Every structure is written in C-alpha cells, then in structure tokens.
C-alpha cells in the first residue's frame, strides 16, 4: 500500500477531498495529516474522517522531526494541501519526486514567498488578469518551482472579488487534485 501523508496549514478542503478519494482504496490511503497550526480547520476534518493527526511547529519542521516522523510512518508520498511553510531541503532530499504541491495560480505567475491563498487572488485581480487557474507540481528546494504535473485555467471575471475567485479556484482544485495524485501514484510509485 502507498501511504500518503498530507501536510496542511488551513481550512483543509483539499485535504478532505483527498482523504475521501482514497478512503476505500486498498492500494493507496491517506494515513496521516500533518499540520503546523493548532487552530487550522484541517484538524477537525481529519478527525471527523478518522485520519491520525500529527501536529508540529516550525522548529520541528526545520530541525528534522517531521522528516523522522514521515519516515517512521513509512510514507510513500507527501501531498501538500494548503501548506504554508517552505519544505526544508533535507525533507525534499529524503522524498525525491515524492512531494506534490498545489498552488492557486498559473505558475510561474503569482508564485514564490508570500504568495499563498488569498494573497494570490488579490494580486491576480489587482493586475487585471483575464485568467487564473491552478498548478499541481512536484516540490523542489525553492518555492513553487518543481516540475508541473497539471495546469488548469479558469476565467477571472470583471466583477470578481478575491473570495469569488478563490471559490472558482477551489472548485478546480477539488476536481483535479485527487485525480492527479491518483494517476501519479499509479504511474510513478
Ligand atoms: C488552496 O487554494 C491551495 O491552492 C492554496 O491554499 C488553499 C488551501 O485551501 N495553497 C497555496 O497557496 C500554497 N502556496 P484548503 O485549506 O481549503 O485546502
């Protein structure tokens, strides 16, 4: 069985979709949700779905404790779902081509440090972009720069707010993230 760990910092709607997608799969399963924010909504979602939770702080992430935990749990794939921290170099090296991220823009546009969640949608609207979208990619040692697995576009409408654009983007994410992870596991792992 391929054991997936999700790392998340926020509400956790993507984490929930991923957990549900693999819930009855004998070959692939989300076995752990790791979270760096004690107040994050993802913790309740994981709890409700019966997935074990691993809470950690930034020092533990940077100091190698998170890597040790993932290795001890025999994790085969790490899926970032709204995880707002840079993955330390050592962790990336311990899981080469085995960490996937989702970003709510058409990278390389609106990526990099500080570009996450609503900040991205605000910047896209402020720049007058006609389209935005999602990027699902492998994680390397720099923010948002690994190999792309999928990009999907959507329009930015003239009266969009950051919230309405976020809702459209979330819709794309919920459709495509579980499917991309599913096919990546089948092909690559
Ligand atoms: C998602 O839109 C995801 O793309 C974004 O955070 C949101 C988390 O939503 N990730 C980033 O911005 C990473 N740089 P969720 O907690 O409801 O899944």
């Amino acid at each position: 069985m391929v054991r997936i760990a999700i790392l998340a910092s926020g509400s956790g709607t993507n984490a929930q979709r991923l957990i549900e997608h693999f819930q009855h799969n004998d070959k692939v399963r989300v076995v752990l949700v790791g979270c760096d924010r004690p107040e994050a909504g993802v913790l309740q979602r994981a709890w409700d779905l019966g997935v074990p939770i691993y809470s950690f702080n930034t020092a533990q992430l940077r100091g190698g404790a998170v890597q040790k935990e993932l290795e001890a749990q025999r994790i085969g794939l790490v899926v970032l779902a709204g995880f707002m921290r840079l993955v330390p170099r050592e962790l990336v090296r311990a899981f080469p081509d085995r960490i996937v991220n989702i970003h709510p823009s058409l990278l390389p546009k609106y990526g990099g440090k500080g570009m996450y969640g609503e900040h991205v949608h605000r910047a896209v609207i402020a720049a007058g972009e006609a389209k935005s979208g999602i990027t699902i990619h492998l994680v390397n040692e720099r923010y948002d720069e690994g190999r792309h697995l999928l990009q999907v576009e959507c329009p930015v409408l003239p009266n969009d707010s950051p919230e309405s654009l976020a809702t459209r983007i979330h819709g794309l994410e919920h459709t495509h993230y579980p499917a991309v992870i599913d096919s990546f596991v089948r092909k690559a792992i």
Side-chain angles (χ1 to χ4, degrees):
M1 163 163 345
V2 178
R3 296 165 57 81
I4 294 179
I6 293 175
L7 299 185
S9 308
S11 163
T13 62
N14 280 288
Q16 179 175 343
R17 296 300 169 115
L18 288 159
I19 294 166
E20 287 169 347
H21 181 87
F22 293 110
Q23 217 164 19
H24 305 295
N25 190 320
D26 291 337
K27 299 202 172 106
V28 190
R29 191 76 57 85
V30 177
V31 297
L32 189 69
V33 169
C35 181
D36 62 318
R37 287 184 47 217
E39 73 282 14
V42 70
L43 295 171
Q44 186 66 49
R45 292 181 196 269
W47 178 266
D48 290 345
L49 289 160
V51 178
I53 291 162
Y54 169 54
S55 284
F56 57 85
N57 59 32
T58 313
Q60 289 169 310
L61 178 66
R62 294 194 184 135
V66 173
Q67 181 183 330
K68 280 208 183 82
E69 180 67 21
L70 297 175
E71 287 169 345
Q73 299 240 6
R74 292 175 286 107
I75 296 303
L77 182 70
V78 179
V79 177
L80 309 183
F83 187 57
M84 302 310 176
R85 303 272 170 206
L86 181 65
V87 178
R89 177 185 304 165
E90 295 73 22
L91 181 49
V92 175
R93 287 184 183 162
F95 289 87
D97 289 344
R98 292 291 178 271
I99 308 180
V100 182
N101 183 40
I102 190 161
H103 187 81
S105 76
L106 297 171
L107 289 175
K109 284 184 147 190
Y110 307 101
K113 200 166 163 48
M115 274 295 171
Y116 57 87
E118 206 172 295
H119 299 285
V120 176
H121 308 309
R122 233 172 253 292
V124 166
I125 290 170
E129 297 282 0
K131 63 181 185 182
S132 188
I134 62 169
T135 305
I136 298 172
H137 64 95
L138 294 175
V139 170
N140 66 18
E141 290 162 29
R142 288 174 303 280
Y143 270 113
D144 302 330
E145 288 189 17
R147 178 163 72 84
H148 291 184
L149 300 177
L150 181 77
Q151 276 194 319
V152 184
E153 295 178 0
C154 67
V156 179
L157 303 176
N159 56 353
D160 260 335
S161 62
E163 293 75 23
S164 64
L165 181 55
T167 302
R168 195 171 308 122
I169 295 278
H170 260 125
L172 290 183
E173 295 184 329
H174 297 161
T175 303
H176 292 286
Y177 209 15
V180 167
I181 296 300
D182 199 315
S183 92
F184 182 74
V185 169
R186 280 171 209 272
K187 280 191 218 140
I189 301 189

